């Protein structure tokens, strides 16, 4: 069974290895270039000096780090579009590996031949699911490590690892996304026993679950923290903290939000310009921010990885149950 399964899917495996080789040919030189530029600008030392606190006193060092970060982002801003490609890679595993794994057997009728040759349905399914799953795990681990290394300078120079795009391609969650996509494709193939409908269900289902978890669940994994600071003081949010700012604005003395998505800061010698000022918000106004601390990154990664791993296990279980009832 193992040899037969390998022969059935070796073309897909070799095609995937070729695709990963092409991605590596893009990632390695661009990644080395980004890491070299990040180091040559002095950003590691600059950001380390700022610490990880959510607030920091506004100094020339903060302004300098901000300036260096903007300089880096301007040079490599196009790499963000490459990162979007990495976000969609896991679903391709579900569409092109998971969905045809069972549905193609049903569509072509080859499952009946196997099940009449002394191979039980459970044995057949465990070998197929296990072999393809093991290959997927190995490839997903390599992909996750490579993308995390490649994306690290862009994340460090910008808003931190907890923001939407950064979180999705860093750490261990890409592995869980990939396994979930594979399991969803397998499950879809047991209910919609045609390849194209199963692929479509895998694609739509993956997108729906990912968006729901990302938008509705992730901001609530742990209670968000709030922060208030005076517009006339010298403190400002620390650009090196990695905090995920979910909401901010200016509240009046009664605590009511009067200017959402705005912040009052000390005016420079040249004046405040056209931005919001304390007079617009009234006496006693203050800056307010709701955020998830940057040091929760690995906690959030563990929570989300667990969610998608459980979903993948449940889908495989229901797929196995479904196979027992198929004529």
């Amino acid at each position: 069974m193992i040899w037969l399964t390998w022969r059935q899917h070796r073309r897909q495996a070799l095609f995937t290895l070729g695709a990963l080789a092409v991605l590596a040919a893009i990632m390695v030189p661009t990644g080395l270039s980004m890491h070299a530029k990040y180091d040559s600008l002095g950003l590691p030392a600059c950001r380390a000096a700022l610490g990880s606190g959510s607030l920091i006193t506004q100094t020339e060092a903060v302004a300098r780090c901000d300036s260096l970060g903007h300089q880096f982002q301007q040079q490599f801003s196009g790499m963000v579009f490459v990162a979007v490609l990495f976000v969609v890679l896991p679903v391709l595993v579900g569409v092109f590996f998971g969905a045809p794994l069972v549905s193609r057997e049903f569509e072509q009728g080859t499952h009946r031949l196997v099940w009449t040759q002394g191979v039980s349905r459970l044995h057949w399914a465990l070998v197929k699911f296990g072999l393809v799953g093991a290959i997927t795990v190995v490839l997903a681990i390599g992909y996750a490590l490579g993308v995390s290394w490649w994306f690290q300078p862009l994340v460090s120079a910008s808003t931190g690892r907890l923001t939407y795009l950064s979180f999705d391609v860093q750490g261990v969650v890409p592995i869980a996304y990939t396994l979930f996509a594979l399991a969803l494709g397998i499950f879809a193939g047991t209910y919609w026993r045609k390849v194209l409908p199963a692929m479509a269900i895998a694609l739509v289902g993956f997108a729906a679950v990912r968006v729901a978890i990302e938008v509705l669940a992730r901001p609530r994994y742990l209670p968000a923290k709030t922060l208030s600071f005076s517009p006339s003081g010298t403190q400002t949010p620390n650009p090196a903290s990695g905090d995920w700012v979910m909401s901010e604005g200016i509240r009046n003395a009664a605590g009511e939000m009067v200017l959402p998505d705005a912040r009052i800061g000390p005016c420079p010698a040249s004046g405040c310009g056209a931005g919001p000022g304390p007079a617009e918000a009234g006496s006693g106004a203050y800056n307010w921010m709701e955020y998830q601390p940057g040091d929760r990154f690995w906690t959030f990664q563990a929570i989300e990885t667990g969610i998608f791993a459980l979903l993948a296990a449940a889908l495989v279980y229901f797929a196995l149950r479904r196979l027992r009832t198929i004529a």
Side-chain angles (χ1 to χ4, degrees):
M1 272 296 298
I2 294 177
W3 174 245
L4 175 62
T5 302
W6 165 249
R7 284 182 61 86
Q8 284 181 308
H9 302 285
R10 62 183 177 180
R11 182 176 298 178
Q12 291 169 296
L14 293 174
F15 175 79
T16 302
L17 286 174
L20 289 176
V22 172
L23 282 177
I26 298 172
M27 289 171 59
V28 171
T30 56
L32 290 173
S33 176
M34 287 192 292
H35 278 269
K37 185 65 176 181
Y38 187 81
D39 293 338
S40 67
L41 288 173
L43 275 166
C46 183
R47 296 206 163 239
L50 297 184
S52 59
S54 296
L55 284 180
I56 193 171
T57 301
Q58 180 72 45
T59 63
E60 290 185 3
V62 176
R64 179 174 176 274
C65 276
D66 271 342
S67 176
L68 291 175
H70 288 311
Q71 182 179 338
F72 179 87
Q73 291 176 60
Q74 287 177 351
Q75 181 172 347
F76 294 102
S77 59
M79 293 295 104
V80 175
F81 296 102
V82 180
V84 173
L85 171 63
F86 296 141
V87 173
V88 303
L89 280 179
V91 71
L92 299 182
V93 174
V95 171
F96 293 105
F97 274 76
L101 190 64
V102 176
S103 61
R104 181 174 289 125
E105 299 275 4
F106 293 145
E107 191 173 70
Q108 297 176 351
T110 54
H111 65 293
R112 295 191 182 92
L113 175 63
V114 175
W115 293 347
T116 57
Q117 299 300 314
V119 177
S120 69
R121 299 185 185 200
L122 181 61
H123 182 201
W124 175 81
L126 289 177
V127 171
K128 287 181 75 72
F129 297 178
L131 181 60
V132 175
I135 294 173
T136 300
V137 168
V138 172
L139 294 178
I141 290 173
Y143 150 78
L145 290 173
V147 175
S148 293
W149 167 81
W150 180 85
F151 206 52
Q152 187 271 328
L154 282 171
V155 172
S156 299
S158 57
T159 53
R161 296 186 294 177
L162 276 175
T163 52
Y164 287 119
L165 178 61
S166 301
F167 186 89
D168 298 337
V169 297
Q170 295 260 291
V172 295
V173 291
I175 303 172
Y177 297 157
T178 306
L179 289 176
F180 168 71
L182 179 68
L184 180 59
I186 292 172
F187 174 77
T190 62
Y191 275 83
W192 291 270
R193 290 182 281 174
K194 299 287 185 180
V195 174
L196 290 180
M199 294 172 75
I201 293 297
L203 176 62
V204 174
F206 181 87
V209 174
R210 283 277 286 110
V211 170
I213 295 293
E214 187 166 317
V215 175
L216 301 177
R218 188 186 301 166
R220 298 172 177 83
Y221 287 159
L222 292 175
K225 292 187 175 183
T226 59
L227 192 64
S228 302
F229 53 100
S230 171
S232 59
T234 59
Q235 288 192 309
T236 186
N238 185 357
S241 67
D243 294 340
W244 176 20
V245 179
M246 298 184 294
S247 178
E248 65 176 336
I250 301 168
R251 294 181 179 270
N252 61 21
E256 300 170 334
M257 180 70 72
V258 291
L259 290 172
D261 301 319
R263 185 187 302 165
I264 305 174
C267 295
S270 58
C272 287
E280 295 178 55
S283 177
Y286 59 91
N287 293 306
W288 176 88
M289 185 172 72
E290 183 182 35
Y291 69 102
Q292 292 286 358
D295 59 11
R296 291 180 174 178
F297 173 78
W298 285 111
T299 302
F300 276 41
Q301 284 269 317
I303 293 171
E304 192 150 318
T305 298
I307 290 173
F308 279 95
L310 287 174
L311 288 174
L315 287 167
V316 171
Y317 170 75
F318 286 117
L320 290 172
R321 288 193 60 179
R322 172 65 176 166
L323 285 174
R324 295 171 58 187
T325 64
I326 295 175

